[in-house]
Amino acid sequence: MGSCVRVAILGAESSGKSTLAAALAERYGTVWVPEYLREFVETQGRVPVAADQYGIARTQVEREAAAAAQARHFLFCDTTPLMTVVYSRHYFDGADARLAALADATHYDVTLVTAPDSPWVADGLQRESEAVRQLIYRLLLEELDARGIVYHVLHDSLEARLAQAAPLLRQALDAAPAFSSLRST
């Protein structure tokens, strides 16, 4: 895998994860990994069932590994296996052992969480309701806290979120040994 700062972008449905990931990749001249779940729903024409969860998360991680080779300093990941675990707990009363192990084994240098503070937008099969969005957001924060994962909640408009993310990303880049020569940039 290429040497880059891996950035997890997590959040509930319709909270701006994809928009943020694309904007960050454009701003920092790098690549981002779209959420595979969206593609799965479009190609399968259905929402996933419990048995699909591990395969969806595994495909997401495989795509991250492939994209890391093209990444320049940062790799922005629109969701992670941890988000799949949160949804599995909500919809299927738990995550299977393979999914749990994958989530445990997948690490990111920075975790950004998109607050559900924009208008909720229906999106075909994938999105349920504003109430579920708020619940998933709370479950996500509880999961991050339980795992001791440091995260940063980004609020408001896309521009505000980009401004909130900038010092966090600069700090992560400064802390990465591979980029110590870039500290003056």
Side-chain angles (χ1 to χ4, degrees), residues 94-179:
D96 72 27
R98 294 181 309 160
L99 174 57
L102 183 61
D104 290 344
T106 311
H107 300 283
Y108 300 85
D109 300 299
V110 178
T111 299
L112 304 176
V113 176
T114 53
D117 58 4
S118 58
W120 181 82
V121 179
D123 185 22
L125 296 172
Q126 224 181 317
R127 297 181 178 165
E128 199 167 327
S129 69
E130 173 62 19
V132 169
R133 178 171 80 154
Q134 294 297 330
L135 173 62
I136 294 295
Y137 176 69
R138 287 193 306 275
L139 294 174
L140 171 60
L141 298 186
E142 289 171 8
E143 186 70 27
L144 290 166
D145 288 338
R147 290 171 177 261
I149 296 172
V150 174
Y151 61 91
H152 310 276
V153 179
L154 307 183
H155 296 276
D156 303 319
S157 69
L158 176 60
E159 280 307 314
R161 290 173 179 200
L162 290 169
Q164 292 161 31
L168 303 169
L169 297 174
R170 192 168 29 251
Q171 182 180 37
L173 196 61
D174 286 348
F179 300 115

Side-chain angles (χ1 to χ4, degrees), residues 10-12 17 35 79-88 136 140:
L10 306 178
K17 294 182 304 295
E35 180 180 29
T79 207
T80 72
L82 181 64
M83 203 71 236
T84 310
V85 166
V86 170
Y87 277 109
S88 291
I136 294 295
L140 171 60

